Amino acid sequence: MSVVINAENISKRFFLGERNQRAFFEDVAAKSARGFRRLLRPRERQKEKGSARDFWALRDVSFRIFQGQTLGIIGENGAGKSTLLKVLSRITQPTTGTVKVYGRLASLLEVGTGFHPEFSGRDNVYLNGAMLGLSRKEVRNRFDQIIEFSGLEQFIDVPVKNYSSGMYVRLAFAVAAHLNPEIVILDEVLAVGDAVFQKKCFDRMEEIINEGHAAILVSHGMGNVRRMSQVCMWLHHGRVQMFGPTHEVVSCYEKQTTHEVVTHYEKQTAQQHEPAHREVPASLSSWFLESKLSTNLHTIVAGRAPIAVHFEIDLAVPIANGRISVSVADVQGLILFTQDGALQQKKAGKLVMLLELPWLPVKPGQYIVSCTISDGSHPVAFLRATPELTVLEDKSIDSSGYRGLLNLPARLSVEGDHS
Amino acid sequence: MAQTPGIENTKTAVEVSEPLSETREAIQPKKPTYVVEADKLLSSNPKELWAYRELFLLLVKRDFVAVYKQTVLGPLWFFVQPFLASLVFMVVFGQIARLPTTELPPLVFYMSGIIAWSFFSNCLSQVAATFLGSGALFRKIYFPRLIVPISQITMNLLNFFAQLLVLLAVIAFYELSGTRIELGIKMLALPLVLGVMAVLALGIGCLIAAATVKYRDLNIIVGYTLNLWMYGSLVIYPRSAVPPNLLWLLALNPMASLIECYRSSLFGTEHTEVQPAIIASVVTLVVAIAGIWCFAKAEGTFTDSI
């Protein structure tokens, strides 16, 4: 196992703001002032002053990738992920720091760039290959594979200006996928083409990774990151928030985003549903769960045992003919199930609620539990249970091959041919 | 942010991965394929340019196809253009202003000047527009950026030779109708002269391209300046027509000498002045080095501002 990418202290500064006459004169003034100062005191090294219009997209990012490893890069929009990839693939220079790359690096950032509309598909394969650093011979050797992969045999001599956008992307991806680079960069390109082609892309990606190449995967889909990468880097405002084994980093990241999603959701609901008077009609004072599997009040181990969830709600106003519902959602806000019931309270005050489940058929992770109270026609309160519900992995069961959202008691039997 | 559950875990996670990487560090691989550094010049490396030679050929082909496929007149336009311009010059400068054209027939004199000048000015303006024109591509794929200007110059060279054929046809026509036009062995020096012109255009173009990264309006000035520049570059009159008190101005213009060299290598009617030619070559060399250096400096960060 050897290093394929070694990045040290990369920072990248952008200049925000317009380039106009004022900026020009400011530039000239600053440069000449610096020049004069240097003339007067040549020994003194001037420290570059930070300007308010500077924006640091990356700050002291260091990491290493080894052969055969896939690094996932996660982070919200504007965290610096794309800038980092651009630095790695030599599109832009860092403001400070060094990156050493060992081996051919191919970036599938933007497939199909550099295609020329007047050229036929065939010519564009060669042009694109050359841009990505392949020799004519290398492209020729892979040409059949590329065409077969793209599924465009009969259109290959047609100018690409006559291609549909789907065909265009397929051809582009086919070229990129057959570069045989030592390091691949993937930036959300997995979502190209129709379902069949997507599947093909996925398989090809896994093949590339299995061939022992290193890969960098940038994605907002935590599923892809978990599935394909072993190490993960979480960028936040241009800095490395966390770097380590994927499952740890991703679960921390998910916790964080859960928090943000919920805050946002609460704000929205509040704006939509709150009546003119600001009085909060209800609040959730506490919640806990009871089960053989629970390790504390808000945590259980994944498994099959009945669960009772208790809620304590303070009602500020009487609700005569209302409804109350409990829902469980995953961190992306996808509601897994909802159960509702009647709410008839002639008086304001405390009330307790009990939700019974035969078992909770979900995979390990963080879940948002919430209650919605309506007065019969409109929702009047949205109550989120804090802290979140955590489902832990059952360590006694091997769940390494586990995928998906649900954890159902299914059985799989395989029978051979006995005849 | 402060209550991020991940923050405490950050430390533990880093601790997990660190011992791993230290044991791995012992096995260091060979030389890196490439290094990205803060102040490194990116494509100034001739080895890398050579590695991308196939891209260069394909880009030339691409531009060639683009020019010759898209328009109705297509390649014909290339031949008509200098011809028409020469006719206009013949009337304006030859008949009205009565500028001398040495012993050459005016059509041949003007046409030879125009094709050389348009070679130079096209090279320069296209190179100057490199970052603005190919910005979208540069933002997505890395290859030595210098490939683009070099391929554009090559493309213009091809066009020049096509136009030269038209000029030769015109000369043949004059020969047939009895006018003697001398084409000497000096013609062999033509590629050298064109090469110097190309390098000068590359140098100035690169300087402007690097500057357009910050100041876009420069590109508008280019076309305008090139138009004016032609009048001072011996395109429409020979050196012998210039009054002696203005000769020093000609010496400042490397293109004046280069056009003179060019025409004297084609025809025996003019002679190369040695001193201006040396000055022009030195200026070309200095400008080219400065231009390529600035270009290499700009290509690392241009995506940030355009």
Side-chain angles (χ1 to χ4, degrees):
Chain A
M1 285 261 251
S2 53
V3 177
V4 293
I5 293 182
N6 187 359
E8 278 163 22
N9 303 319
I10 317 171
S11 300
K12 177 74 190 175
R13 181 180 50 196
F14 284 110
F15 175 84
L16 297 181
E18 257 176 78
R19 275 278 163 203
N20 49 19
Q21 285 135 331
R22 225 185 99 210
F24 173 74
F25 289 119
E26 274 174 16
D27 266 17
V28 173
K31 283 248 166 74
S32 42
R34 219 166 33 216
F36 272 122
R37 252 176 290 159
R38 248 184 230 158
L39 269 181
L40 296 175
R41 278 167 292 189
R43 258 151 223 287
E44 195 177 308
R45 203 136 159 89
Q46 290 296 328
K47 228 182 133 188
E48 295 246 353
K49 256 192 284 168
S51 133
R53 287 184 292 186
D54 287 349
F55 167 73
W56 289 89
L58 289 174
R59 219 61 219 260
D60 294 324
V61 174
S62 301
F63 64 93
R64 280 197 207 124
I65 306 177
F66 299 90
Q67 210 177 348
Q69 237 181 14
T70 303
L71 170 74
I73 301 180
I74 56 177
E76 70 272 47
N77 288 331
K81 304 187 296 286
S82 305
T83 308
L84 179 60
L85 294 192
K86 281 189 171 167
V87 169
L88 294 182
S89 50
R90 286 192 282 186
I91 286 165
T92 185
Q93 252 176 332
T95 311
T96 67
T98 320
V99 186
K100 291 196 178 97
V101 177
Y102 302 85
R104 179 171 20 215
L105 178 141
S107 137
L108 307 191
L109 295 179
E110 310 272 354
V111 287
T113 42
F115 271 23
H116 194 279
E118 295 288 338
F119 270 26
S120 68
R122 181 188 303 275
D123 289 341
N124 268 312
V125 169
Y126 281 101
L127 181 63
N128 211 224
M131 279 183 186
L132 296 163
L134 289 188
S135 73
R136 203 172 170 74
K137 214 177 115 199
E138 285 174 293
V139 179
R140 201 180 304 130
N141 289 342
R142 287 165 212 177
F143 193 79
D144 292 337
Q145 275 172 289
I146 293 173
I147 301 309
E148 203 206 309
F149 189 87
S150 70
L152 294 169
E153 290 90 346
Q154 39 177 329
F155 303 106
I156 201 63
D157 289 310
V158 175
V160 295
K161 65 178 174 187
N162 298 331
Y163 278 24
S164 74
S165 54
M167 286 158 75
Y168 191 90
V169 170
R170 268 154 62 180
L171 185 64
F173 189 86
V175 179
H178 289 84
L179 288 173
N180 273 22
E182 277 93 23
I183 309 143
V184 202
I185 292 182
L186 311 164
D187 187 2
E188 300 272 79
V189 283
L190 299 175
V192 296
D194 54 26
V196 177
F197 192 71
Q198 258 185 41
K199 169 82 174 61
K200 236 172 161 178
C201 297
F202 259 110
D203 293 348
R204 179 67 194 150
M205 261 33 283
E206 293 207 312
E207 241 175 79
I208 291 176
I209 291 163
N210 291 339
E211 277 163 18
H213 300 313
I216 298 177
L217 171 70
V218 172
S219 180
H220 290 286
M222 290 305 127
N224 287 343
V225 175
R226 272 188 209 268
R227 196 158 83 95
M228 295 170 82
S229 58
Q230 299 95 46
V231 278
C232 190
M233 178 159 69
W234 171 9
L235 285 180
H236 185 77
H237 293 313
R239 290 175 193 274
V240 179
Q241 176 90 325
M242 196 172 165
F243 185 89
T246 300
H247 60 96
E248 284 178 32
V249 180
V250 170
S251 55
C252 287
Y253 177 71
E254 276 178 340
K255 263 185 216 163
Q256 158 87 19
T257 41
T258 314
H259 183 76
E260 274 163 21
V261 167
V262 167
T263 325
H264 177 74
Y265 184 47
E266 269 177 344
K267 256 192 223 149
Q268 245 185 5
T269 345
Q271 276 165 6
Q272 278 169 11
H273 303 306
E274 237 170 70
H277 53 97
R278 295 288 99 185
E279 192 187 354
V280 183
S283 61
L284 185 65
S285 51
S286 75
W287 82 283
F288 64 94
L289 45 82
E290 241 183 332
S291 166
K292 269 203 314 219
L293 295 167
S294 60
T295 57
N296 69 35
L297 290 178
H298 310 106
T299 309
I300 57 164
V301 177
R304 231 174 303 154
I307 298 162
V309 191
H310 298 265
F311 299 89
E312 248 184 62
I313 295 167
D314 284 321
L315 211 54
V317 290
I319 292 175
N321 278 312
R323 306 287 298 173
I324 183 162
S325 70
V326 180
S327 31
V328 174
D330 76 355
V331 290
Q332 263 95 32
L334 175 71
I335 294 177
L336 301 177
F337 73 88
T338 301
Q339 183 60 52
D340 82 336
L343 179 67
Q344 275 150 348
Q345 292 292 314
K346 298 261 157 37
K347 277 188 295 185
K350 233 179 213 353
L351 63 112
V352 288
M353 182 167 75
L354 172 66
L355 173 73
E356 282 171 299
L357 296 166
W359 54 290
L360 197 57
V362 295
K363 65 164 186 179
Q366 292 266 314
Y367 294 91
I368 304 164
V369 180
S370 58
C371 307
T372 311
I373 297 172
S374 76
D375 61 6
S377 52
H378 296 291
V380 292
F382 173 78
L383 314 171
R384 186 171 72 92
T386 43
E388 281 86 40
L389 164 66
T390 307
V391 179
L392 297 173
E393 214 172 304
D394 185 353
K395 292 271 159 55
S396 63
I397 296 169
D398 173 36
S399 55
S400 55
Y402 192 80
R403 287 175 197 177
L405 201 60
L406 295 181
N407 187 3
L408 293 173
R411 183 170 293 134
L412 184 69
S413 39
V414 182
E415 267 177 57
D417 189 358
H418 293 297
S419 64
Chain B
M1 252 326 298
Q3 74 278 47
T4 312
I7 284 181
E8 309 86 63
N9 294 11
T10 311
K11 294 193 184 80
T12 54
V14 168
E15 273 160 22
V16 169
S17 65
E18 247 167 19
L20 273 175
S21 47
E22 258 158 43
T23 52
R24 282 162 175 173
E25 199 177 5
I27 326 153
Q28 259 300 325
K30 60 288 165 194
K31 256 180 70 190
T33 314
Y34 66 84
V35 179
V36 182
E37 252 171 315
D39 291 315
K40 203 179 158 227
L41 299 182
L42 288 174
S43 79
S44 51
N45 182 352
K47 223 172 90 188
E48 185 142 14
L49 283 174
W50 179 244
Y52 278 85
R53 61 191 178 280
E54 290 183 18
L55 177 62
F56 159 74
L57 290 176
L58 282 167
L59 286 179
V60 173
K61 189 183 162 194
R62 185 187 74 171
D63 293 343
F64 199 78
V65 169
V67 168
Y68 288 88
K69 250 192 187 171
Q70 273 169 353
T71 52
V72 186
L73 276 175
L76 202 64
W77 181 238
F78 262 107
F79 305 130
V80 173
Q81 216 177 2
F83 201 75
L84 285 178
S86 308
L87 287 177
V88 172
F89 280 18
M90 249 173 88
V91 173
V92 176
F93 301 114
Q95 300 295 311
I96 300 174
R98 297 195 179 282
L99 286 172
T101 58
T102 66
E103 294 95 71
L104 286 175
L107 185 64
V108 176
F109 182 87
Y110 292 128
M111 200 163 158
S112 63
I114 286 168
I115 62 176
W117 182 260
S118 64
F119 164 71
F120 174 77
S121 77
N122 285 342
C123 281
L124 198 159
S125 55
Q126 285 171 16
V127 172
T130 301
F131 286 129
L132 295 179
S134 306
L137 186 59
F138 288 177
R139 227 178 294 265
K140 286 160 186 167
I141 301 185
Y142 171 80
F143 53 83
R145 308 313 193 195
L146 215 47
I147 292 267
V148 169
I150 293 175
S151 73
Q152 269 160 341
I153 285 177
T154 311
M155 170 68 195
N156 279 309
L157 214 51
L158 293 178
N159 286 337
F160 171 81
F161 281 113
Q163 292 177 334
L164 191 64
L165 287 180
V166 180
L167 179 67
L168 290 177
V170 170
I171 291 172
F173 174 79
Y174 273 98
E175 290 271 348
L176 285 177
S177 59
T179 321
R180 185 90 192 92
I181 294 170
E182 221 177 289
L183 289 175
I185 188 80
K186 282 197 290 179
M187 238 177 126
L188 292 177
L190 190 63
L192 179 71
V193 179
L194 282 175
V196 178
M197 278 188 204
V199 173
L200 182 63
L202 178 72
I204 301 173
C206 280
L207 278 175
I208 297 169
T212 47
V213 169
K214 276 194 173 176
Y215 311 107
R216 274 175 176 232
D217 25 4
L218 263 174
N219 223 39
I220 306 162
I221 306 170
V222 173
Y224 176 72
T225 315
L226 277 169
N227 274 338
L228 294 181
W229 193 356
M230 187 189 77
Y231 293 98
S233 300
L234 301 183
V235 175
I236 43 178
Y237 52 87
R239 187 185 289 273
S240 54
V242 180
N245 59 335
L246 286 178
L247 277 175
W248 63 274
L249 255 174
L250 272 193
L252 291 179
N253 179 1
M255 268 317 277
S257 169
L258 288 176
I259 292 277
E260 187 184 46
C261 290
Y262 154 81
R263 215 157 29 214
S264 70
S265 78
L266 269 179
F267 315 108
T269 53
E270 274 172 88
H271 294 285
T272 306
E273 295 280 328
V274 179
Q275 208 189 349
I278 291 173
I279 296 175
S281 309
V282 172
V283 169
T284 301
L285 195 69
V286 172
V287 168
I289 291 171
I292 292 174
W293 187 82
C294 288
F295 186 90
K297 196 97 181 120
E299 67 181 353
T301 49
F302 93 95
T303 42
D304 311 346
S305 29
I306 283 192

